[in-house]
Amino acid sequence: MTIKYTPEHEWLQIEADGTATVGITVHAQDALGDVVYVDLPAVGATFKPHDVAGVVESVKAAADVYMPVTGEITEVNEALCDDPSLANTDPLGAGWFFKVKLANPSELDALLDKTAYDDLVKNA
């Protein structure tokens, strides 16, 4: 299992079948505070990197969730819609946002590994 990160604080867990699960990082949910609402993309929607794929709202602010790669949404986390606080309590697990079928796996090379992401956050 490979995990990649974006400078905009999304994470991707890459699966062997060419799909990726996407969510927001611990840093992002810490910065947002208590998440109260999420707007997720429609299954079947296609996106390019940096397209806005969703919105997360907290008691402090609203933030866009950006698509890290080109692909088609194959699943959304309905449990997150019912209980947005999952983005706070388990951002790297049960608080995932959506799954995407990768159209161009080479785009993953442009994303950050854990060490590079940790350095980005530490120097922010």
Side-chain angles (χ1 to χ4, degrees):
M1 166 178 63
T2 301
I3 298 179
K4 295 284 196 165
Y5 301 87
T6 71
E8 295 80 29
H9 309 291
E10 289 90 17
W11 58 265
L12 295 83
Q13 179 177 310
I14 316 309
E15 304 297 338
D17 67 357
T19 62
T21 302
V22 178
I24 62 171
T25 65
V26 171
H27 176 81
Q29 69 83 28
D30 280 346
L32 284 167
D34 293 336
V35 174
V36 295
Y37 174 77
V38 294
D39 181 29
L40 301 177
V43 171
T46 57
F47 295 91
K48 294 180 283 194
H50 311 293
D51 285 351
V52 174
V55 176
V56 59
E57 294 181 14
S58 73
V59 295
K60 290 184 185 179
D64 291 330
V65 177
Y66 296 98
M67 178 59 71
V69 292
T70 302
E72 179 181 343
I73 302 298
T74 59
E75 187 178 347
V76 296
N77 187 353
E78 296 294 343
L80 186 63
C81 293
D82 295 337
D83 183 5
S85 70
L86 290 171
N88 295 113
T89 59
D90 193 9
L92 304 179
W96 62 276
F97 280 57
F98 52 83
K99 296 186 181 190
V100 59
K101 177 75 174 160
L102 303 174
N104 187 358
S106 66
E107 291 173 343
L108 297 170
D109 296 339
L111 301 178
L112 306 171
D113 63 14
K114 179 156 179 42
T115 301
Y117 180 74
D118 287 347
D119 286 345
L120 173 82
V121 172
K122 180 175 61 177
N123 296 320

